[in-house]
Amino acid sequence: MSSTIDIIDSDPNNKLLIAVATKQPYLNFLKPKYVFTIFIISIALSLYAATSVDLKKDEIGALVNIYIPIFVGLFTSLTLIILFAFNKNIAVKTALLFVLLNLFTGFYLKISFLPFLNANPITYKHFSNKTDSASIQNLDGFPATNHLVFSYICSPESKSGKISGEDENLNHNKIAIRIFNNGTKNQLIKNGLFSNNGLWQIEHISNFDKKKSVFPIVVPAKNYVDIFIVFTANSINKRIASVWWKKALRFQYYMTNIGRKIGYQLPAATNCVTVHDSLLLITGARQDSSIKIHLSALWQYHPESDWEPDLQRQLSVLGFRTKVGFRNFDNGSNGDFIIPNSDEIPVSYFKAANAKIPVKIKKLGAYHGCCSIKDADTLNYWGFNQNTPTPILWYDKISGQMLLPKSVNTQNNFALIQPVDVFSLSTGNSYLNRKKNFDKKIGIRVWKAYTSVGLIKNAYIFGSDYLGTKGTNYDYQDNLYYIENVIPLP
């Protein structure tokens, strides 16, 4: 049986060369229209294989798995177009090779994808973490006694324009945890162990004249020590130090920007990294004599614009399970309607749920411009029929790119108010009552507050966007707040 294939041109005007298998009809797939169909499918399969992994396990590495199959597919497609213009026969044969190349790329990326960080979701309850005679206090005061939240910008820009990874004005990367000894005997802390050693450091321990902490330490009876924990982000910073990664992150920034302009939100890939780790303080011989402190951090490559973390990511780092319903912008609503299939609710006013205790408001995040007076972001209280607002929270003007920014006017970073009637809120030119907003759009969106243990009763999260300005982008993460002991009113 002959194994030759006669190549004929059945129609001189036909741009596609037809391959006819004279003795082997099972080789009909070599017809150009089939070959090029298989080639297109191979690109789709390559992208599917490369992204069919848990991209959250390596959020920076995910850029490779998302974009490399696309780049390889574009390169092979362009090459085939050029070849087809000069030699149709060679183009068909090359297409078969490119099918293998595309498939190899996708499945290789799938197999070689490994977790970069141990990013495990946090599950905790709001309780005082105690062991033996010791108890702990998060001096940040939020989100829980045993849960510390950090934020870090790889290259923050100070007011002077200086680039520095240690600018404390723009980074919230150092928090103190207080260890109380409630007993009558000295409390020994034998050691402190981080679940990921490449990201954290114990800078120092109060009352110890050392630049670096040294274990074991002894907490005197009825006394305490403060342990200062720093999110160094060293392993992440080292990884993205090469030109390759800098270009990849810059490309992702442009893709996010383009997606915003055409109304498309990328389902994955980011310029931020979410970290969930823990610190184990060993206080005895048994593991149940240890104190476990949850550590969450948000790593950000550059400040402002499309470098910023989206709202859903911020809430995740803070331990909330609230469903925002969008990532970088409000799904084309442009502030006109409540986002469906989310935890958002329509609110114009609040009233106290229990009038005997104060309403508490905490700022969770600030991601907007930096360093001007207006960036102080005052939160205003409006009593019912009140014509002039009462400022209740304002912040350092250079703390515009961080989680849990420090307030200027309160020591505990909470605003405590005792409303006698219904009230509303505003920040900048955005009002909770949308009738006062530019084009009567939603300036402040409100969501129910959920954590891993369920709904927090009478507690809500609200986020604002600057309306009617050049920078309006409907991401509602310019200023993010948490409020409790209230009942919402539409």
Side-chain angles (χ1 to χ4, degrees):
M1 180 180 292
S2 172
S3 60
T4 61
I5 298 177
D6 297 329
I7 307 298
I8 63 172
D9 190 355
S10 61
D11 186 354
N13 296 320
N14 194 340
K15 294 184 178 180
L16 293 178
L17 186 67
I18 301 176
V20 180
T22 57
K23 301 293 183 181
Q24 296 89 348
Y26 56 83
L27 291 180
N28 282 339
F29 76 91
L30 290 177
K31 291 182 179 181
K33 64 179 181 180
Y34 295 139
V35 170
F36 291 119
T37 299
I38 294 172
F39 169 74
I40 297 299
I41 293 174
S42 73
I43 297 176
L45 287 176
S46 176
L47 181 60
Y48 174 78
T51 56
S52 63
V53 294
D54 189 353
L55 297 176
K56 292 182 179 180
K57 290 185 176 180
D58 184 1
E59 295 184 282
I60 294 179
L63 298 176
V64 174
N65 281 52
I66 292 172
Y67 291 122
I68 291 298
I70 296 175
F71 290 156
V72 173
L74 290 174
F75 169 77
T76 52
S77 298
L78 181 60
T79 303
L80 286 182
I81 292 173
I82 296 173
L83 287 176
F84 192 81
F86 290 95
N87 192 312
K88 300 176 182 178
N89 191 21
I90 293 178
V92 171
K93 295 178 180 179
T94 304
L96 294 175
L97 294 177
F98 283 170
V99 166
L100 298 177
L101 175 62
N102 286 322
L103 294 176
F104 172 81
T105 299
F107 283 95
Y108 175 79
L109 291 173
K110 176 181 175 67
I111 295 171
S112 61
F113 186 85
L114 296 173
F116 178 64
L117 300 172
N118 296 320
N120 299 312
I122 284 193
T123 301
Y124 67 87
K125 296 182 179 180
H126 295 271
F127 64 91
S128 296
N129 195 349
K130 297 181 179 179
T131 176
D132 297 333
S133 61
S135 61
I136 64 175
Q137 178 187 358
N138 172 7
L139 295 187
D140 242 12
F142 199 89
T145 300
N146 61 335
H147 184 193
L148 279 59
V149 171
F150 305 73
S151 63
Y152 176 92
I153 304 176
C154 182
S155 56
E157 299 177 4
S158 66
K159 185 177 180 181
S160 64
K162 179 181 179 182
I163 304 298
S164 168
E166 300 299 329
D167 189 338
E168 294 183 0
N169 289 321
L170 287 181
N171 276 326
H172 184 208
N173 62 331
K174 181 167 66 175
I175 303 174
I177 190 82
R178 179 163 291 175
I179 311 296
F180 290 94
N181 180 2
N182 302 311
T184 58
K185 298 180 180 180
N186 290 344
Q187 173 70 59
L188 174 68
I189 301 179
K190 299 173 63 176
N191 203 356
L193 304 174
F194 290 108
S195 58
N196 193 320
N197 291 325
L199 298 172
W200 308 94
Q201 175 186 331
I202 294 179
E203 184 184 71
H204 70 276
I205 302 173
S206 65
N207 303 324
F208 290 84
D209 188 20
K210 296 182 176 66
K211 291 184 179 180
K212 294 184 178 180
S213 63
V214 176
F215 289 99
I217 60 175
V218 176
V219 186
K222 304 299 181 181
N223 212 324
Y224 65 87
V225 294
D226 293 337
I227 300 177
F228 289 82
I229 303 168
V230 178
F231 176 59
T232 64
N234 285 339
S235 60
I236 303 176
N237 293 340
K238 289 178 181 178
R239 185 185 189 189
I240 58 94
S242 67
V243 174
W244 156 253
W245 282 112
K246 293 180 185 297
K247 296 297 183 182
L249 290 166
R250 177 66 64 175
F251 180 80
Q252 170 61 17
Y253 168 82
Y254 290 133
M255 292 301 295
T256 303
N257 188 264
I258 292 172
R260 185 187 297 278
K261 292 179 179 178
I262 64 176
Y264 176 74
Q265 301 189 68
L266 299 172
T270 178
N271 286 311
C272 300
V273 176
T274 298
V275 177
H276 291 308
D277 282 330
S278 62
L279 169 64
L280 196 65
L281 297 175
I282 312 298
T283 61
R286 306 187 317 273
Q287 185 176 2
D288 59 3
S289 296
S290 303
I291 300 175
K292 186 175 183 180
I293 302 167
H294 296 286
L295 307 174
S296 295
L298 176 56
W299 179 93
Q300 181 181 345
Y301 184 50
H302 275 311
E304 301 189 32
S305 189
D306 285 317
W307 297 110
E308 295 176 351
D310 61 78
L311 178 55
Q312 191 68 68
R313 178 183 295 275
Q314 293 178 47
L315 294 179
S316 174
V317 176
L318 289 160
F320 289 102
R321 299 293 178 85
T322 296
K323 185 178 180 182
V324 174
F326 58 87
R327 288 191 67 195
N328 302 106
F329 54 90
D330 64 356
N331 296 336
S333 164
N334 293 334
D336 289 332
F337 54 83
I338 300 296
I339 303 301
N341 303 314
S342 72
D343 294 320
E344 185 181 359
I345 57 174
V347 180
S348 296
Y349 298 93
F350 288 113
K351 69 176 182 179
N354 184 347
K356 296 181 180 180
I357 60 176
V359 171
K360 182 184 290 187
I361 305 176
K362 168 74 173 179
K363 188 163 188 177
L364 303 181
Y367 286 92
H368 49 68
C370 169
C371 311
S372 66
I373 297 298
K374 69 178 182 179
D375 292 320
D377 291 324
T378 300
L379 179 67
N380 293 309
Y381 168 91
W382 296 81
F384 195 68
N385 292 328
Q386 181 177 334
N387 295 322
T388 303
T390 302
I392 55 176
L393 271 179
W394 56 92
Y395 295 80
D396 192 313
K397 63 183 180 181
I398 56 174
S399 65
Q401 291 281 301
M402 64 171 60
L403 293 176
L404 303 179
K406 303 297 183 183
S407 65
V408 174
N409 63 313
T410 61
Q411 291 183 348
N412 58 8
N413 287 313
F414 282 95
L416 300 176
I417 57 177
Q418 201 89 40
V420 296
D421 203 340
V422 299
F423 67 94
S424 194
L425 300 166
S426 70
T427 177
N429 65 343
S430 296
Y431 294 81
L432 189 61
N433 184 353
R434 63 183 295 178
K435 294 179 180 179
K436 296 183 177 183
N437 287 329
F438 173 79
D439 283 349
K440 296 184 179 180
K441 291 180 176 290
I442 300 174
I444 299 178
R445 292 188 182 273
V446 182
W447 299 268
K448 298 177 182 178
Y450 286 92
T451 67
S452 59
V453 295
L455 177 69
I456 305 176
K457 186 178 180 180
N458 298 327
Y460 298 88
I461 295 164
F462 62 94
S464 69
D465 191 57
Y466 294 108
L467 299 179
T469 69
K470 183 179 180 180
T472 300
N473 57 12
Y474 304 105
D475 57 7
Y476 294 92
Q477 45 82 290
D478 295 335
N479 297 288
L480 183 64
Y481 297 88
Y482 169 82
I483 185 170
E484 62 182 36
N485 186 34
V486 292
I487 297 174
L489 300 173

